Amino acid sequence: MIRKSLQDGVQILRLDRPEKKNALTGAMYTELAEALETGNTDGEVRCHLICGQPDVFTAGNDIGDFLQYAGKVAISETPVVRFLRALVRNEKPLVASVDGIAIGVGTTLLMHCDMVFASRRAFIRSPFVDLGLVPEAGSSLLGPQLMGHARAFELLCLGNPMTADKAAQIGLVNEIVEEDVETAALSCARQIAAKPPEAMALSRKLLRGDTQAVSERVEEEIRIFAERLTAPETIAAFQTFMSKKKA
């Protein structure tokens, strides 16, 4: 589930499924998407903060749950895709607090954040290719822009994990926090929320530039992702992953 609260203009979106390492279900994606969408027009929301639990941000997509959705509707109509589109269309500053694992979408959503705080326990990895899939959330465009082709290839194609230190070196993380990472992230989010909202919105829009290219890349990734779900190597990779999970 997603626990939502509002503090001093900051909408806190807490991933709260610790028994499954905060693996994201369709219901959780829907809640996150709705929070971002309604936040665009809610004057009380001046900043979003996404956080998890101690020692776990998110293990990424709950594959079993995703396959259930994917079997019933087109990929473009699934909750995860609604969330990815909401990330691109989000108009309010977005802060993340990463403590522990951040896998798959737990990594790619960080590329849409304005500020990212991480603990020393942060473990960032995107095993898309290992599952026979392709990167998502516009990361195939945003990743090279942020960290250069070689680092993006290492993260998104090779699937190598990154420590907090390495993520900070390439610009994916703003600050490494030695003790309470969530307190530091919330403090920053409150600082953002306290600033003149119109000036903040205009400044953020200028910095982000035209998001049309990102939106188009998200849709291209979705199309290829859907095609890959029926590829023999993807089916084999999923079967191997699920058998290991059961074991």
Side-chain angles (χ1 to χ4, degrees):
M1 64 176 290
I2 305 298
R3 285 198 283 132
K4 293 179 285 187
S5 61
L6 186 66
Q7 297 183 23
D8 302 322
V10 178
Q11 178 169 234
I12 301 173
L13 304 173
R14 183 180 303 281
L15 313 180
D16 190 20
R17 198 187 178 209
E19 72 280 5
K20 294 294 184 179
K21 297 184 179 180
N22 287 344
L24 295 167
T25 64
M28 294 169 74
Y29 280 123
T30 296
E31 288 187 77
L32 287 170
E34 289 177 347
L36 295 178
E37 291 164 355
T38 58
N40 286 339
T41 56
D42 188 342
E44 294 188 6
V45 176
R46 295 191 173 189
C47 184
H48 302 287
L49 170 63
I50 297 181
C51 55
Q53 307 292 329
D55 207 24
V56 57
F57 184 56
T58 174
N61 208 353
D62 185 314
I63 292 181
D65 183 84
F66 170 75
L67 292 177
Q68 289 183 356
Y69 275 95
K72 296 177 182 178
V73 299
I75 296 298
S76 60
E77 302 303 318
T78 57
V80 59
V81 169
R82 179 181 175 183
F83 170 65
L84 299 181
R85 290 169 175 158
L87 273 178
V88 178
R89 298 167 183 165
N90 172 48
E91 298 176 6
K92 301 294 176 71
L94 181 60
V95 178
S97 170
V98 182
D99 188 13
I101 60 171
I103 309 297
V105 70
T107 293
T108 57
L109 75 84
L110 301 180
M111 298 181 192
H112 294 267
C113 293
D114 301 288
M115 294 290 293
V116 177
F117 293 79
S119 73
R120 291 286 178 188
R121 296 180 292 190
F123 180 88
I124 296 167
R125 184 168 183 256
S126 298
F128 298 111
V129 173
D130 291 342
L131 292 172
L133 300 171
V134 296
E136 34 78 319
S139 60
S140 62
L141 177 65
L142 296 173
Q145 290 178 349
L146 177 67
M147 62 190 77
H149 170 81
R151 291 299 194 193
F153 185 92
E154 180 182 356
L155 178 65
L156 299 172
C157 296
L158 197 56
N160 282 353
M162 285 190 177
T163 62
D165 284 322
K166 192 165 186 177
Q169 289 172 6
I170 64 175
L172 188 60
V173 167
N174 292 86
E175 185 175 333
I176 299 172
V177 181
E178 298 294 343
E179 296 182 3
D180 191 343
V181 62
E182 187 174 316
T183 295
L186 180 57
S187 176
C188 177
R190 283 174 168 158
Q191 182 183 0
I192 292 170
K195 294 185 179 295
E198 290 185 15
M200 176 60 72
L202 290 169
S203 298
R204 181 178 184 269
K205 188 174 182 179
L206 287 168
L207 288 174
R208 287 173 60 82
D210 186 2
T211 59
Q212 182 61 35
V214 180
S215 181
E216 290 175 357
R217 180 58 61 89
V218 167
E219 298 304 320
E220 183 180 8
E221 291 169 344
I222 291 167
R223 177 183 59 77
I224 298 173
F225 197 101
E227 293 172 352
R228 293 299 303 164
L229 287 175
T230 58
E233 68 176 10
T234 305
I235 294 172
F238 269 60
Q239 289 173 339
T240 300
F241 175 83
M242 296 306 287
S243 64
K244 287 181 178 179
K245 187 175 180 182
K246 289 179 182 179

